[in-house]
Amino acid sequence: MNDLAGLEAFANVKRLIVVAAHPDDLETMCGGTIALLVAQGVTVFSVNCTLGDIGTQESGIVRPALAATRLAETDDAAQVLGIKQTYNLGHHDGELEPNLELRAQISRLYRITQADALFTFDPYWTGQIHPDHRAAGQAALDAYMPSKMPLYRPEQLSENGAGLGCLQKIFLFSTDRQPNVFVDVNSVYGTKIAAALAHRSQFPKGEENLEWMKTLDTLAGAPINMTYAERFKQLDVW
Amino acid sequence: MNDLAGLEAFANVKRLIVVAAHPDDLETMCGGTIALLVAQGVTVFSVNCTLGDIGTQESGIVRPALAATRLAETDDAAQVLGIKQTYNLGHHDGELEPNLELRAQISRLYRITQADALFTFDPYWTGQIHPDHRAAGQAALDAYMPSKMPLYRPEQLSENGAGLGCLQKIFLFSTDRQPNVFVDVNSVYGTKIAAALAHRSQFPKGEENLEWMKTLDTLAGAPINMTYAERFKQLDVW
Amino acid sequence: MNDLAGLEAFANVKRLIVVAAHPDDLETMCGGTIALLVAQGVTVFSVNCTLGDIGTQESGIVRPALAATRLAETDDAAQVLGIKQTYNLGHHDGELEPNLELRAQISRLYRITQADALFTFDPYWTGQIHPDHRAAGQAALDAYMPSKMPLYRPEQLSENGAGLGCLQKIFLFSTDRQPNVFVDVNSVYGTKIAAALAHRSQFPKGEENLEWMKTLDTLAGAPINMTYAERFKQLDVW
Amino acid sequence: MNDLAGLEAFANVKRLIVVAAHPDDLETMCGGTIALLVAQGVTVFSVNCTLGDIGTQESGIVRPALAATRLAETDDAAQVLGIKQTYNLGHHDGELEPNLELRAQISRLYRITQADALFTFDPYWTGQIHPDHRAAGQAALDAYMPSKMPLYRPEQLSENGAGLGCLQKIFLFSTDRQPNVFVDVNSVYGTKIAAALAHRSQFPKGEENLEWMKTLDTLAGAPINMTYAERFKQLDVW
Amino acid sequence: MNDLAGLEAFANVKRLIVVAAHPDDLETMCGGTIALLVAQGVTVFSVNCTLGDIGTQESGIVRPALAATRLAETDDAAQVLGIKQTYNLGHHDGELEPNLELRAQISRLYRITQADALFTFDPYWTGQIHPDHRAAGQAALDAYMPSKMPLYRPEQLSENGAGLGCLQKIFLFSTDRQPNVFVDVNSVYGTKIAAALAHRSQFPKGEENLEWMKTLDTLAGAPINMTYAERFKQLDVW
Amino acid sequence: MNDLAGLEAFANVKRLIVVAAHPDDLETMCGGTIALLVAQGVTVFSVNCTLGDIGTQESGIVRPALAATRLAETDDAAQVLGIKQTYNLGHHDGELEPNLELRAQISRLYRITQADALFTFDPYWTGQIHPDHRAAGQAALDAYMPSKMPLYRPEQLSENGAGLGCLQKIFLFSTDRQPNVFVDVNSVYGTKIAAALAHRSQFPKGEENLEWMKTLDTLAGAPINMTYAERFKQLDVW
């Protein structure tokens, strides 16, 4: 098991943007790593592409009401983790498409946040059964190059504080394709759980609804002797 | 002023469907006529194509929360007027398009409600400056023919209680193109106002926010000596 | 009743293209005029934008089978009328949209047929309740200008026999907006009926299914003392 | 001929935006009025929705090269007329669609320019045979309401100098639907011609290519005893 | 060669849905396995996303006629195999896209059939040169999650007999990515051939047109000592 | 290192089509191989899907002007390499989508050029960070099958010299997925550089801007003891 990195993989990261699909993706997929990075002084921005507005098994709720609830829960979780700002791109849950509109929305956030690193779903993991996850990851990758070009959607560069995209590092989560960064999140696991539980609509019974997450993090850590790990695949970019 | 009709224009109507663009359109455009028809035993269905989710001058509110509020207000207003059921098609305010998806959604409701008459915006009034109003009216007209054909979106006919579309009469509101039905709504004007005011987010100061509506209804009634009138243009269909 | 023309309105027409929505539109709307023009030596091309594939009240038939039947019926009717060639653009009945694809398809036929005159639905008649009729007419008008420009879809100009569009006259049918050309079709009414009846799937009971057409043609002729008339509105073009 | 206005119809206009389809539309349709308004101190913004990139009968030129030429000509003409700024929305000539993207682009310019008045094509004139003209006019009208709402495309409001749309008056050109503003442009006709001729690619033979424009302006002026007039239809808005 | 399964991989399957692209895909890709499962009492539903309407090298046939032929052949083949019901989603051959419409159509069938297992094309096999095959497989996977959520396209749940999607197992065919289920279809190979040959338009010369299929099935079986095998890759789902 | 081929992999190629995304892709990715093949008498066609119109870090240039420059540079480079004909599909840089329109455009060129071999980007290389590259490669593969079917876009077959698609071999470039063809381009490296430098807008400082290309080609050659190599992955097709 050579060539694996830990938290040091993010050594030079100063401004991190996380592009996820639904409220609670960030928290459950990489909430521990986020907590560690925030503690190190990294500024973190959270982007959810969808409103998470089909995220329930109850049929009595209307979608906009569920969306409003989830937006509020997102902000609560962000406070737990110390995330600087959250963005929601307003798409409908279960129907996210990696199209030019989504690409432009994400490019705009690369330019506004001036993030130097990206966390997103691995769009190429063939076991990824949720189409929104693939779409979010694909669009986040597709926005990388255009965001750096001044003639791409130049109106985005007129916004206050915006500059050309300056991402330099990309890390993919939710992947089985030879992840090469394993972060020991044991020390912040309570924070991770607290952030996840801020999504009360998703985990109404509290920690007992998070067994699946603990299992995943345990499995991720097992081969490298960590109790709980989050893992990533760093993508080479040029 | 020959060939004008009053409430008798709706003499044979038993099941009426109203296709509007935003919560509060129905109430302010034809709330009085609806109240009169409900009183006569007509079953009324209300359809709003959009969520009304940009309907505010406050920028501090998030769109799904505004949408949720307006859905609730719609149901409150429906209770005031005695509307049997309300439907919201979930499109975004300010961006309604009269496309095939909207046509199919409306066709479905013609088939489920088994309505025999339609009220909708006049899509051909060249003074109609709101694009959502034109879009709602156009799509409502465009759905008329297909809804009657069994091979058009046949899955809609598998739903409980659905049958082929059976609309027979169409009346257009919000029009200056020689309206030919004028309804005296004086006797139910209090109800109309109450229904409109159920949209608290739109008329936070109460009746004082409805002066424009009273003016329109007064102007509509003036040529035919009514205090308050609502007017329609009946469209010949085949 | 000044400024009305008869068949002489088409005096210089040599190659006529008719853009309709469904098989049987041409025959029932202007089959008589077509018969008269063919007799005068005009070359006529027929374009149906849709397959007419929801044109039945029977639900036991599958759409492609109905489409295949209607294509065959179209050719039968064309033979009755002496139409040189028929084209079907393959869109689905009840769902025709006047988009860029349809515009390009029609432009291509203007260029291939080298037609000098166009018959199509009046897209601006506000009584036109069939959305396919409006769509066909709108797209046919919208294709007029681009078809004349060499940089518009230049690949169309590489086809055998194609040249720049050369339409010079446009006549709209199915309109109540002050039609100004009335054609006496009494002498060819038998041919018109025969052409319409070639659409056996639509008029299974024969002539008795065509009472509505006779009524329309009678009403069209009444103000100008014709037994049966077909009427058009000539559009000024530049 | 009552109720007609002249230049005084624009008395309170301070910032005017003109939404046209192609380079040279503004100059030939209302170049005289623009010259008069600029002379009165009105700030004028010019928007062309398309690149005008099929605007030639020569087939040897490539479209981007023609587009680049026309952008340069647009700026030359703007200098002749004293237009403050020109915008081109980058769509392809002959294929403009009045869709949500175009609506948003125009809304953005209403917000950035803070224009109080709009000139655009009448999208409802049934003699308008150019689809781009209708599309530009329709989209310009459709953008009016949304541009005033803070939750519509809020990122536009983050740009430097942008505010909510504040259009108050709309005037339609290229219309035969009872125009009610006639501007005597005789005194600035030389300027109008000079502005039009800046579009050298369109009028390579100079003034002799502008006979059609002079004819239109002469016909417009005839009923009201002006040598050359430009005419508009003011649209009531609310 | 460990961890390989045979027919027992389908031990608990009771209701199987097969999502293919063209008529004849099911028969030639997994007709043998279907025959074995039907014999075991499994209820099988067949879905073809396209009409197969370019499936010919003859240019004299019109597409709807070919489509009608292929629909009939599909039913004939289904009878040979004992398939309970066939569905065709009506898309055009050679132009299938894995978009939201297709996802919704497939979700609807998961809900109506209450299938517990899915067979479809492997959309991730990089040797898959037919775009329709990839599109069908991708859309079938993408529909898995949404079909289980009550707020996704809730109108589908109003149809007679529909319930939430309840797929539990997914098996991919037409794949070279480490297939792990190999079914010995030797005992039913005659049935497989008969089912394939029901597609007379595709295999007009009979069995001699099926040499390619026999070769594929022979190659699939070779490494595990079967005469003819069909192979699948089971996808883990959560 | 078995099973690797060199230039002999293209032994039977007579007409080669290269589908790239931007002007300069062909030259820098496989310019050496092209030079060698042209010298052997192969006829080469070059297709760029986009105009390359955001390909600059200068913000003062307008996009159509940059596009026009790049079209001219493409032709200059083609002359250096001896390419027979160049095509540009006119899409915008940074926004290429592998949709049905692009598929049809590429199919048309397969049919017009009668190419027997294809070079294109590997759309499946997960390190491919440029979305246009993936889109071009995907669309080029997706066009392979349909181009061979007479009922797919039959109007393409009416163009002068067109026939059914007859591609037989496909080679993917820009890939790390086990390339299996390595071409020694040392002998023509000067030509490759000259062709690349014809794109003056991209490499304004001349050869010093091409260090990255030399590095890639050096790395490609290292394992097989070539100074400069270009590498490909041959795709099996059926």
Side-chain angles (χ1 to χ4, degrees):
Chain A
M1 280 242 177
N2 296 325
D3 292 336
L4 295 189
L7 200 61
E8 71 278 11
F10 314 119
N12 299 313
V13 173
K14 292 201 163 41
R15 302 171 74 79
L16 170 69
I17 190 166
V18 185
V19 177
H22 312 97
D24 85 3
D25 285 344
L26 177 150
E27 292 79 1
T28 57
M29 302 282 172
C30 51
T33 304
I34 299 296
L36 291 167
L37 292 175
V38 168
Q40 289 185 1
V42 176
T43 304
V44 179
F45 303 92
S46 152
V47 183
N48 287 320
C49 296
T50 82
L51 294 163
D53 55 341
I54 62 170
T56 183
Q57 288 297 323
E58 294 175 37
S59 57
I61 195 169
V62 294
R63 290 176 61 151
L66 179 56
T69 295
R70 300 199 70 178
L71 290 177
E73 292 171 353
T74 302
D75 286 339
D76 292 346
Q79 243 178 350
V80 173
L81 290 173
I83 286 171
K84 184 179 176 68
Q85 187 138 6
T86 64
Y87 299 93
N88 190 292
L89 302 181
H91 296 278
H92 289 304
D93 191 357
E95 310 199 86
L96 188 65
E97 294 186 299
N99 55 21
L100 297 183
E101 181 198 359
L102 183 59
R103 184 185 302 178
Q105 287 181 299
I106 295 173
S107 162
R108 176 177 171 260
L109 295 180
Y110 292 166
R111 288 166 162 188
I112 285 179
T113 62
Q114 291 290 296
D116 50 35
L118 164 70
F119 284 7
T120 194
F121 281 98
D122 182 0
Y124 302 120
W125 175 39
T126 57
Q128 181 51 269
I129 198 73
H130 202 311
D132 293 349
H133 293 183
R134 262 187 293 111
Q138 189 67 68
L141 295 187
D142 289 352
Y144 168 82
M145 292 286 288
S147 73
K148 294 172 179 278
M149 311 297 282
L151 296 187
Y152 175 76
R153 308 263 169 158
E155 69 279 8
Q156 296 177 348
L157 298 169
S158 303
E159 292 190 50
N160 284 334
L164 285 179
C166 53
L167 278 183
Q168 289 177 340
K169 292 189 174 175
I170 299 179
F171 302 91
L172 305 177
F173 55 74
S174 197
T175 184
D176 224 19
R177 290 194 309 133
Q178 300 178 292
N180 51 14
V181 180
F182 288 74
V183 180
D184 187 332
V185 294
N186 199 38
S187 66
V188 291
Y189 214 71
T191 305
K192 176 172 186 171
I193 288 174
L197 290 181
H199 295 278
R200 289 170 297 280
S201 67
Q202 304 304 298
F203 313 116
K205 301 189 182 167
E207 209 164 327
E208 114 185 42
N209 287 137
L210 291 173
E211 284 308 313
W212 63 273
M213 181 182 86
K214 291 184 191 172
T215 302
L216 283 180
D217 293 343
T218 303
L219 289 171
I224 45 172
N225 297 317
M226 297 176 186
T227 307
Y228 292 122
E230 290 170 353
R231 57 190 198 166
F232 301 86
K233 180 181 183 66
Q234 183 164 7
L235 190 73
D236 289 326
V237 292
W238 28 275
Chain B
M1 280 241 179
N2 295 327
D3 292 337
L4 296 188
L7 201 61
E8 71 278 10
F10 314 118
N12 299 314
V13 174
K14 293 202 162 40
R15 301 172 75 81
L16 171 68
I17 191 166
V18 185
V19 176
H22 313 96
D24 84 2
D25 284 344
L26 177 151
E27 293 79 0
T28 57
M29 302 282 172
C30 51
T33 304
I34 299 297
L36 291 168
L37 292 175
V38 168
Q40 288 185 3
V42 176
T43 303
V44 179
F45 304 92
S46 153
V47 183
N48 287 320
C49 296
T50 83
L51 294 162
D53 55 341
I54 63 169
T56 182
Q57 288 296 322
E58 292 176 38
S59 56
I61 194 169
V62 294
R63 290 177 61 151
L66 178 56
T69 296
R70 299 199 71 177
L71 290 177
E73 291 172 353
T74 302
D75 285 340
D76 292 347
Q79 242 177 351
V80 173
L81 290 173
I83 286 171
K84 183 179 177 67
Q85 187 137 8
T86 65
Y87 300 93
N88 190 292
L89 302 181
H91 297 278
H92 289 305
D93 191 358
E95 309 200 84
L96 187 65
E97 294 187 298
N99 54 22
L100 297 184
E101 181 198 359
L102 183 58
R103 185 185 301 178
Q105 287 180 300
I106 295 174
S107 162
R108 177 178 171 259
L109 296 180
Y110 292 166
R111 289 167 161 188
I112 285 178
T113 62
Q114 292 289 295
D116 50 35
L118 164 69
F119 285 6
T120 194
F121 280 98
D122 182 1
Y124 302 121
W125 175 39
T126 58
Q128 181 51 269
I129 198 72
H130 202 311
D132 292 349
H133 292 183
R134 261 187 292 110
Q138 189 68 67
L141 295 188
D142 289 352
Y144 168 81
M145 293 286 289
S147 72
K148 295 172 179 276
M149 311 296 283
L151 295 186
Y152 175 77
R153 309 263 169 159
E155 71 279 9
Q156 296 177 347
L157 298 169
S158 302
E159 291 190 50
N160 284 333
L164 285 178
C166 54
L167 278 183
Q168 290 177 339
K169 293 189 173 176
I170 299 179
F171 302 90
L172 305 176
F173 55 74
S174 196
T175 184
D176 224 19
R177 290 195 310 133
Q178 300 177 291
N180 52 14
V181 179
F182 288 74
V183 180
D184 186 334
V185 294
N186 200 37
S187 66
V188 291
Y189 215 70
T191 305
K192 176 171 185 172
I193 288 173
L197 291 181
H199 296 279
R200 289 170 298 280
S201 67
Q202 305 303 298
F203 313 116
K205 300 188 183 168
E207 208 165 328
E208 118 185 37
N209 286 137
L210 290 174
E211 283 308 312
W212 64 273
M213 180 182 88
K214 291 184 191 173
T215 301
L216 283 180
D217 292 343
T218 303
L219 288 171
I224 45 171
N225 297 318
M226 296 177 185
T227 306
Y228 291 123
E230 290 171 351
R231 57 192 199 165
F232 301 85
K233 180 182 183 68
Q234 183 164 8
L235 191 72
D236 290 327
V237 292
W238 29 276
Chain C
M1 280 245 177
N2 296 324
D3 292 337
L4 296 188
L7 200 62
E8 71 278 12
F10 313 119
N12 299 313
V13 174
K14 291 200 165 38
R15 300 171 75 81
L16 171 68
I17 191 167
V18 185
V19 177
H22 313 96
D24 86 3
D25 284 345
L26 177 151
E27 292 79 1
T28 56
M29 302 281 172
C30 51
T33 304
I34 299 297
L36 291 168
L37 292 175
V38 168
Q40 288 186 2
V42 175
T43 304
V44 179
F45 304 92
S46 153
V47 183
N48 287 321
C49 296
T50 82
L51 294 162
D53 55 341
I54 63 169
T56 182
Q57 288 296 322
E58 292 174 39
S59 55
I61 194 169
V62 295
R63 291 177 61 151
L66 179 56
T69 296
R70 300 199 70 178
L71 290 176
E73 292 171 353
T74 301
D75 285 339
D76 292 346
Q79 245 179 347
V80 173
L81 290 173
I83 287 171
K84 183 178 176 68
Q85 187 139 6
T86 65
Y87 300 93
N88 190 292
L89 302 181
H91 296 278
H92 289 305
D93 191 357
E95 310 201 85
L96 188 66
E97 293 187 299
N99 55 21
L100 297 183
E101 182 198 359
L102 182 59
R103 185 185 301 178
Q105 288 180 298
I106 296 173
S107 162
R108 176 176 171 260
L109 295 181
Y110 291 166
R111 289 167 161 188
I112 285 178
T113 62
Q114 291 290 296
D116 51 34
L118 165 68
F119 284 6
T120 195
F121 280 98
D122 182 0
Y124 301 121
W125 174 39
T126 58
Q128 180 52 268
I129 199 73
H130 202 310
D132 292 348
H133 292 183
R134 262 188 292 111
Q138 189 68 67
L141 295 188
D142 289 353
Y144 168 81
M145 293 286 287
S147 73
K148 294 172 180 277
M149 311 297 282
L151 296 186
Y152 175 77
R153 309 263 169 158
E155 70 278 9
Q156 296 177 349
L157 298 169
S158 302
E159 291 190 51
N160 285 333
L164 285 178
C166 54
L167 278 184
Q168 289 177 339
K169 293 191 173 174
I170 298 179
F171 302 91
L172 305 176
F173 55 74
S174 197
T175 184
D176 224 19
R177 291 194 310 132
Q178 299 178 293
N180 52 13
V181 179
F182 287 75
V183 179
D184 187 333
V185 294
N186 200 36
S187 66
V188 291
Y189 214 69
T191 305
K192 176 172 185 170
I193 287 174
L197 291 182
H199 295 279
R200 290 169 297 279
S201 68
Q202 304 303 297
F203 313 116
K205 301 189 183 168
E207 209 165 327
E208 117 185 38
N209 286 137
L210 290 174
E211 283 309 311
W212 63 274
M213 180 182 87
K214 291 184 191 172
T215 301
L216 284 180
D217 292 343
T218 303
L219 288 171
I224 45 171
N225 297 317
M226 297 176 185
T227 306
Y228 292 122
E230 290 171 353
R231 58 191 199 167
F232 301 86
K233 181 181 183 67
Q234 182 165 9
L235 190 72
D236 289 327
V237 292
W238 30 275
Chain D
M1 280 245 177
N2 297 325
D3 292 337
L4 296 188
L7 200 61
E8 71 277 12
F10 313 119
N12 299 314
V13 174
K14 290 200 165 40
R15 300 172 75 80
L16 170 68
I17 192 167
V18 185
V19 177
H22 313 95
D24 86 3
D25 284 344
L26 177 150
E27 293 78 1
T28 57
M29 302 281 173
C30 52
T33 304
I34 299 296
L36 291 168
L37 292 175
V38 168
Q40 288 185 2
V42 176
T43 303
V44 179
F45 303 92
S46 154
V47 183
N48 287 320
C49 296
T50 82
L51 294 163
D53 55 341
I54 62 168
T56 183
Q57 288 297 322
E58 293 176 38
S59 56
I61 194 169
V62 294
R63 290 177 62 150
L66 179 56
T69 296
R70 299 199 72 177
L71 290 176
E73 291 172 353
T74 301
D75 285 339
D76 292 346
Q79 242 177 350
V80 173
L81 289 175
I83 286 171
K84 183 179 176 69
Q85 187 138 7
T86 64
Y87 299 93
N88 190 292
L89 302 181
H91 297 277
H92 289 305
D93 191 355
E95 310 200 86
L96 188 65
E97 294 187 298
N99 56 20
L100 297 183
E101 181 199 0
L102 182 59
R103 185 185 300 178
Q105 287 180 298
I106 296 174
S107 162
R108 176 176 171 261
L109 295 181
Y110 291 166
R111 289 167 161 188
I112 285 177
T113 62
Q114 292 290 295
D116 51 35
L118 165 68
F119 285 6
T120 195
F121 280 97
D122 182 0
Y124 301 121
W125 174 39
T126 57
Q128 181 52 268
I129 198 72
H130 201 311
D132 292 349
H133 292 182
R134 260 186 294 109
Q138 189 68 67
L141 295 187
D142 289 352
Y144 167 82
M145 293 286 288
S147 72
K148 293 172 180 277
M149 311 297 282
L151 295 187
Y152 174 77
R153 308 263 168 158
E155 70 279 8
Q156 297 178 347
L157 298 168
S158 302
E159 292 190 49
N160 284 333
L164 285 178
C166 54
L167 278 184
Q168 289 177 341
K169 292 189 175 177
I170 298 179
F171 302 90
L172 305 176
F173 56 74
S174 197
T175 184
D176 224 20
R177 289 194 310 132
Q178 300 178 293
N180 52 13
V181 179
F182 288 74
V183 180
D184 187 333
V185 294
N186 200 36
S187 67
V188 291
Y189 214 70
T191 305
K192 177 171 186 173
I193 288 174
L197 291 181
H199 295 278
R200 289 170 298 279
S201 67
Q202 305 303 299
F203 313 116
K205 300 187 183 169
E207 209 165 328
E208 117 185 37
N209 285 138
L210 290 173
E211 284 308 312
W212 63 273
M213 180 181 87
K214 291 183 190 174
T215 301
L216 284 180
D217 293 343
T218 303
L219 288 171
I224 46 171
N225 297 318
M226 297 176 185
T227 306
Y228 292 122
E230 289 171 353
R231 57 191 199 166
F232 301 85
K233 180 181 183 67
Q234 182 165 7
L235 191 72
D236 289 326
V237 292
W238 28 275
Chain E
M1 281 246 176
N2 295 326
D3 291 338
L4 296 188
L7 199 62
E8 71 278 12
F10 315 118
N12 299 314
V13 174
K14 292 202 163 40
R15 302 171 74 80
L16 170 69
I17 191 166
V18 185
V19 176
H22 312 96
D24 85 3
D25 285 345
L26 177 150
E27 292 79 0
T28 57
M29 303 280 173
C30 50
T33 305
I34 299 297
L36 291 168
L37 293 175
V38 169
Q40 289 186 1
V42 176
T43 304
V44 180
F45 303 92
S46 153
V47 183
N48 287 320
C49 296
T50 82
L51 294 162
D53 54 342
I54 63 169
T56 182
Q57 288 296 322
E58 292 175 39
S59 56
I61 195 169
V62 294
R63 290 177 62 151
L66 178 57
T69 295
R70 300 198 71 177
L71 290 176
E73 291 171 354
T74 301
D75 285 340
D76 291 346
Q79 242 177 351
V80 173
L81 290 174
I83 286 171
K84 183 180 177 65
Q85 187 138 7
T86 65
Y87 300 92
N88 189 292
L89 301 181
H91 296 278
H92 289 305
D93 191 356
E95 310 200 85
L96 188 65
E97 294 186 298
N99 55 21
L100 298 184
E101 181 198 359
L102 182 59
R103 185 185 302 178
Q105 287 180 299
I106 295 173
S107 163
R108 177 177 170 259
L109 295 180
Y110 291 165
R111 288 166 163 188
I112 285 178
T113 62
Q114 292 291 295
D116 50 35
L118 164 69
F119 284 6
T120 194
F121 281 98
D122 182 0
Y124 302 120
W125 175 39
T126 58
Q128 182 50 267
I129 199 72
H130 201 312
D132 292 349
H133 292 183
R134 262 187 292 109
Q138 189 68 68
L141 295 187
D142 289 352
Y144 168 81
M145 293 287 288
S147 72
K148 294 173 179 276
M149 311 297 282
L151 296 187
Y152 175 76
R153 309 264 169 157
E155 70 279 8
Q156 296 177 348
L157 298 169
S158 302
E159 291 189 51
N160 283 334
L164 285 177
C166 53
L167 278 184
Q168 289 177 339
K169 293 190 174 175
I170 298 179
F171 302 91
L172 305 176
F173 56 74
S174 197
T175 184
D176 223 19
R177 290 194 311 132
Q178 300 178 292
N180 51 14
V181 179
F182 288 74
V183 180
D184 187 332
V185 293
N186 199 37
S187 66
V188 291
Y189 214 69
T191 305
K192 177 171 185 171
I193 288 174
L197 290 182
H199 296 278
R200 290 169 297 280
S201 67
Q202 304 304 298
F203 313 116
K205 300 189 183 167
E207 208 164 329
E208 115 186 41
N209 287 137
L210 291 173
E211 284 308 312
W212 63 273
M213 181 182 86
K214 291 184 191 172
T215 301
L216 283 180
D217 293 343
T218 304
L219 289 171
I224 45 173
N225 298 317
M226 296 177 185
T227 307
Y228 292 123
E230 290 171 351
R231 58 192 199 166
F232 301 85
K233 181 180 183 68
Q234 182 165 7
L235 191 72
D236 289 327
V237 292
W238 28 276
Chain F
M1 281 241 178
N2 295 326
D3 291 338
L4 296 188
L7 199 62
E8 70 277 12
F10 314 119
N12 299 313
V13 174
K14 291 201 166 40
R15 301 172 74 82
L16 170 68
I17 191 166
V18 185
V19 177
H22 313 96
D24 85 2
D25 285 345
L26 177 150
E27 292 80 1
T28 57
M29 303 282 172
C30 51
T33 304
I34 299 296
L36 292 168
L37 292 175
V38 168
Q40 288 185 1
V42 175
T43 303
V44 180
F45 303 92
S46 153
V47 183
N48 286 321
C49 295
T50 82
L51 294 162
D53 55 341
I54 63 169
T56 182
Q57 288 296 322
E58 293 176 38
S59 56
I61 195 169
V62 294
R63 290 176 62 150
L66 179 56
T69 295
R70 300 198 71 178
L71 290 177
E73 292 171 353
T74 302
D75 285 339
D76 291 347
Q79 241 176 353
V80 173
L81 290 173
I83 286 171
K84 183 179 177 69
Q85 187 138 8
T86 65
Y87 299 92
N88 189 292
L89 301 181
H91 296 278
H92 289 305
D93 191 357
E95 310 199 84
L96 187 66
E97 293 186 298
N99 56 21
L100 297 184
E101 181 198 359
L102 182 59
R103 185 185 301 178
Q105 287 180 299
I106 295 174
S107 162
R108 176 177 171 259
L109 295 180
Y110 292 165
R111 289 166 162 189
I112 285 179
T113 62
Q114 291 290 296
D116 50 36
L118 165 68
F119 285 7
T120 194
F121 280 97
D122 182 0
Y124 302 120
W125 175 39
T126 58
Q128 181 51 269
I129 198 73
H130 201 312
D132 292 349
H133 293 183
R134 261 187 293 110
Q138 190 68 68
L141 295 188
D142 290 352
Y144 168 80
M145 292 286 288
S147 73
K148 294 172 179 278
M149 311 297 282
L151 296 186
Y152 174 76
R153 308 263 170 160
E155 71 279 8
Q156 297 177 347
L157 298 169
S158 302
E159 292 190 50
N160 284 333
L164 285 178
C166 54
L167 278 183
Q168 289 176 341
K169 293 190 172 176
I170 299 180
F171 301 91
L172 305 176
F173 55 74
S174 197
T175 184
D176 224 19
R177 290 195 308 133
Q178 300 178 291
N180 52 13
V181 179
F182 288 73
V183 180
D184 187 334
V185 294
N186 200 37
S187 67
V188 291
Y189 215 70
T191 305
K192 176 171 186 171
I193 287 174
L197 291 181
H199 296 278
R200 289 169 298 280
S201 67
Q202 304 303 298
F203 313 116
K205 300 187 182 169
E207 209 165 327
E208 116 184 39
N209 286 137
L210 290 174
E211 284 307 312
W212 64 272
M213 180 182 88
K214 291 183 190 174
T215 302
L216 284 180
D217 293 342
T218 303
L219 289 171
I224 45 173
N225 295 318
M226 297 176 186
T227 307
Y228 292 122
E230 289 171 352
R231 56 191 200 166
F232 301 85
K233 181 181 183 66
Q234 181 164 8
L235 190 72
D236 289 326
V237 292
W238 28 275

